[in-house]
């Protein structure tokens, strides 16, 4: 016991000396303001109150749009104005195109080899290039348009089932959007549906859903061990690490089976017509593998699939849930969106994807939602690979960068009454010099490659739900807009429920799909 206590103090002493020497080295440089009192060892971690983006916005409010904090052993640059963000993501884009090596990236990111976690370099560039051409290009997006349409139709059919359009029914919107998005993704990836009706394989579906649930629980923890490595050496996070390893094993196993299955079907050509009308993303990746087996290993393919699933699901379904929340609290906006659809497409046919460009108001609504509730309020953490200059200050190499997009998009100096939901303000916003005032998808080399796909999924789902149904809150009270506190994303705290019934004018069409 005595010895342990003693070595603990030695440890502290060592750390203190370490930091002091580092400070001395850096003192000569012109570092940005360092915010409130920085305690030894834990640095600014004591300030953490969730949600983090709000806490950081408050601190930046007093200390300025560019500050350096310490999360335990990590130096963190927090940026919260459009011009400083622009400097980081354009002038210094390459330098900040790295990612910090956080624990989740080690275990769920295959030792930092998948797109979101890979360091800036050849491997990451290759993966981005392949996915840009083979997955995210407009040709490929077009190719999967029917898959997405039929998923929403299947949802509409379920919502309208044995309904005569008279009574409202209550719907669990959170699960509904989440399952819809997972179906979108898995149908595009592998031609499999794991939720709702016509599920491909009940046993597989059950396993898939369990893995998804577990990812939520385990993947959502922000890990103190990332910032206080000493605690990891002492073995305090063994349990979490074990869970992460275990989860990743299950995910890999599941995807490996999916690949084997695809291969068998591919060689025998006896697949059911239903499931394989269109080529899937997996087909595309497997045909690349045939041409270049050394580069496109199973591991690479599994990494890409898991990336698409984990980066594309919560973000898109969360955006649908927040948009619907705001629409239910602002029935006039909902009416206006419905009127836009009725006057552009009419009630004689259902919206398809080529109609989306003709529904600007719908996209103003979605953009306004992404402004108030961006699903990545701090983007994903970047890290500098060299020393650089931002806002006239020196930023040391190896500094983690958090761009507080939430703070920028809700700054009263940039937006009139930012906490008011006003889709009209989005008319003409976006692109050009406004780019860094509104950037829910990030910007630059590390920006979201799934923006076009995400916007289509969100636009199509909401467009059709608004075209076909009347929507209202389940009671008199406004829908609660409190934000959740799990992980780094901005999710709705309480799951959204809503009431709906088919519009009487749409019953005919709904019975035909
Ligand atoms: C409304 C939907 C979405 C939002 C708001 C969103 C937002 C974001 C944000 C903020 C980032 C971090 C950018 C940065 O670090 O600077 C990101 C990265 C990423 N997103 Fe999305 N995203 C959405 C949909 C999707 C979809 C549908 C996919 C793919 C199927 C996707 C794939 C990715 C990937 C792979 C990255 C990592 C990029 C890299 O590190 O190189 N996202 N997204
Ligand atoms: C399920 O598939 C059958 C044909 O295999 C189709 O007739 C039916 O409409 C589908 N149901 C749903 C809800 O997609
Ligand atoms: C969408 O519908 C319009 C009108 O029926 C049609 O002209 C267009 O080709 C359709 N687009 C797609 C992608 O199906
Ligand atoms: C929504 O925002 C995107 C940029 O994120 C922009 O390209 C698009 O034009 C905006 N749409 C509308 C209707 O404002």
């Amino acid at each position: 016991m005595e010895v342990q206590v003693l070595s603990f103090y030695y440890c502290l002493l060592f750390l203190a000396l370490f930091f002091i020497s580092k400070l001395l080295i850096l003192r000569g440089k012109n570092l940005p303001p360092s915010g409130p009192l920085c305690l030894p060892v834990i640095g600014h971690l004591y300030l953490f109150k969730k949600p983090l983006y709000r806490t950081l916005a408050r601190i930046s409010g007093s200390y300025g749009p560019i500050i350096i904090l310490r999360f335990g052993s990590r130096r963190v640059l927090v940026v919260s104005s459009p011009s400083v963000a622009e400097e980081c993501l354009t002038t210094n884009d390459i330098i900040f195109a790295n990612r910090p090596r956080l624990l989740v990236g080690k275990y769920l990111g295959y030792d930092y080899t998948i797109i979101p976690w890979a360091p800036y370099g050849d491997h990451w560039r290759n993966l981005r290039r392949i996915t840009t051409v083979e997955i995210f290009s407009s040709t490929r997006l077009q190719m999967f348009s029917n898959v997405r349409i039929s998923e929403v139709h299947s949802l509409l059919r379920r919502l309208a089932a044995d309904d005569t359009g008279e009574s409202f029914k209550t719907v669990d919107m959170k699960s509904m959007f989440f399952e819809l998005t997972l179906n979108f993704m898995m149908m595009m990836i592998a031609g499999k549906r794991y939720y709702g009706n016509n599920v491909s394989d009940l046993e597989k579906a059950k396993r898939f859903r369990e893995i998804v649930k577990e990812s939520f629980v385990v993947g959502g923890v922000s890990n103190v061990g990332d910032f206080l490595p000493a605690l990891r050496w002492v073995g305090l996070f063994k349990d979490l690490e074990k869970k992460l390893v275990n989860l990743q094993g299950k995910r890999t196993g599941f995807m490996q089976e999916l690949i084997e299955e695809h291969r068998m079907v591919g060689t025998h050509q006896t697949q059911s017509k239903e499931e394989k009308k269109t080529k899937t993303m997996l087909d595309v990746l497997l045909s690349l593998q045939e041409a270049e087996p050394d580069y496109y290993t199973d591991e690479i393919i599994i990494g890409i699939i898991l990336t698409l699933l984990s980066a594309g699901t919560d973000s898109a379904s969360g955006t649908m849930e927040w948009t619907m929340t705001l629409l239910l609290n602002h029935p006039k906006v909902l009416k206006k969106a419905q009127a836009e659809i009725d006057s552009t497409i009419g009630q004689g046919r259902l919206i398809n994807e080529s109609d989306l460009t003709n529904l600007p108001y719908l996209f103003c609504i979605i953009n306004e939602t992404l402004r108030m509730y961006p699903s990545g309020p701090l983007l994903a953490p970047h890290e500098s690979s060299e020393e650089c200059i931002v806002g006239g200050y020196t930023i040391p190499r190896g500094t983690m960068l958090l761009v507080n997009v939430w703070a920028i998009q809700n700054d009263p100096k940039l937006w009139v009454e930012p906490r008011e939901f006003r889709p009209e303000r989005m008319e003409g916003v976006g692109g050009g010099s406004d780019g860094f005032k509104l950037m829910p998808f990030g910007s630059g080399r590390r920006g979201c490659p799934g923006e076009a796909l995400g916007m289509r999924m969100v636009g199509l789902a909401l467009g059709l739900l608004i075209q076909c149904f009347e929507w209202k809150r389940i009671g008199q009270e406004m829908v609660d807009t409190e934000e959740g506190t799990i992980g780094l994303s901005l999710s709705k705290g309480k799951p959204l429920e809503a009431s709906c019934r088919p519009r009487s004018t749409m019953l005919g069409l709904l019975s035909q799909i």
Side-chain angles (χ1 to χ4, degrees), residues 28 120 141 265 280 356 388 449 457 480:
Y120 181 68
L141 286 191
V265 174
T280 60
L356 294 180
C388 63
M457 297 196 292
D480 182 301

Side-chain angles (χ1 to χ4, degrees), residues 173-181 317 320-321 324 465:
M173 303 296 282
K174 187 188 198 79
S175 310
M176 186 188 93
F177 284 135
F178 188 62
E179 293 175 6
L180 173 70
T181 313
S317 75
M320 294 175 197
E321 192 185 3
M324 205 61 182
L465 288 171

Side-chain angles (χ1 to χ4, degrees), residues 154 157 197-198:
S154 156
R157 206 155 42 221
N197 293 334
N198 284 5

Side-chain angles (χ1 to χ4, degrees), residues 396-412:
R397 168 168 187 248
T399 301
M400 182 161 121
L401 167 68
L402 293 178
V403 180
N404 197 340
V405 166
W406 182 87
I408 296 174
Q409 295 183 164
N410 290 280
D411 184 344

